Amino acid sequence: MAQLEASDFAQAVVDRMGECRDARFKQVMTALVKHAHAFMREVDLTPDEWMAGIQFLTATGQKCDGKRQEFILLSDTLGLSMLVVALEQARGARALADQPGEKPTEATVQGPFFWPGAPRLELGADIGEGFGEPTLYHGRVTDTFGKPVGNCALDVWSGDEGGLYDMQKGDSMNLRAQFRTDADGNYRFWSIKPTFYPVPGDGPVGTMLEKMGRHLNRPGHMHMMFNAPGHERLVTHLFVKDSPYLDSDAVFGVRNSLIVDFPKHAPGTAPDGRSMSRAYYTAKYDFRLVPSA
Ligand code: BEZ
Ligand code: FE
């Protein structure tokens, strides 16, 4: 029998997929096997190191529950989530290449703190009451041709003034809601000016980041997700312009086009007509969605 050597095992695994009927699955698995084998050969992996890797992945799975997704955190902190986002946007850009219209708003990571079923509130509602520094978020949602996207579902969520999300603290929702744009695509709501915060560091991914000599922090950002019939879903953030860690986000999510000024205003009448007895911030941003093919 011909004996397999170190450089032969990957091809031997690939050769066993002759009966595989799913062409895309076969393509993905072939590349995965080849790259995984090449990686192990490149670093000359020892049995102890491989066992440490298996124990790390086991601990990562064991850390997951209904509210905690340590594998997403692993994907985020290794830049894989942003790579998938970037590949998807590049695919969209290729599809739009020969069409007129403006560039769509850039996407970024969803992260693990989206909680479906947030309260549906009227435009202009304040979801930040009792938390940090009041901020009016406002702007318009259009498609890439400038046509307003009315009745677009807009989910927003952020951490509190200490950078903690509601689901990290307990079972009651706060600092999150779903709004609908008006007929002209306008949105407005009040929340807080988000602060930078660390991603959860008390699990195996935190231990890995420590060992890599990396910090855990994300710059201040407001999560926003747009869903409108006839348009591609957009998952993105607005980043606070003067926030620390914009240039070293632990999950590589920052896009320059999403960094926004948060000007501070003295007490008085806010742009939406609300009378403010304390200083407040505003963040204005217009979003462009891609019409579905
Ligand atoms: C977040 O922004 O909520 C987040 C994203 C990735 C990992 C952890 C948190
Ligand atoms: Fe976040």
Side-chain angles (χ1 to χ4, degrees), residues 110 113-121 123 127 137 141 151-158 173 175-181 187 189 191 222-228 233-238 287:
Q110 178 168 317
F113 298 128
F114 174 64
W115 191 348
R120 190 169 153 181
L121 302 179
L123 285 176
I127 58 172
Y137 294 81
V141 183
N151 201 30
C152 172
L154 163 56
D155 280 279
V156 303
W157 68 102
S158 80
M173 287 189 178
L175 289 161
R176 64 177 75 237
Q178 186 183 92
F179 300 96
R180 299 266 165 172
T181 56
Y187 74 89
F189 64 92
S191 186
M222 175 63 65
H223 292 262
M224 297 175 115
M225 181 195 291
F226 299 82
N227 282 289
R233 164 191 287 209
L234 172 66
V235 178
T236 193
H237 302 352
L238 294 184
F287 293 87

Side-chain angles (χ1 to χ4, degrees), residues 73 76 109-113 165 197 199-200 218 221 223 237 251:
L73 189 59
D76 292 340
V109 286
Q110 178 168 317
F113 298 128
Y165 284 78
Y197 65 85
V199 300
R218 298 213 64 206
H221 57 273
H223 292 262
H237 302 352
V251 304

Side-chain angles (χ1 to χ4, degrees), residues 82 114 167 178 180 208 217 243 258:
M82 266 317 284
F114 174 64
M167 61 205 293
Q178 186 183 92
R180 299 266 165 172
M208 174 195 80
N217 293 296
S243 177
L258 301 175

Side-chain angles (χ1 to χ4, degrees), residues 64-68 167:
C64 296
D65 59 29
K67 281 189 171 175
R68 176 82 179 249
M167 61 205 293

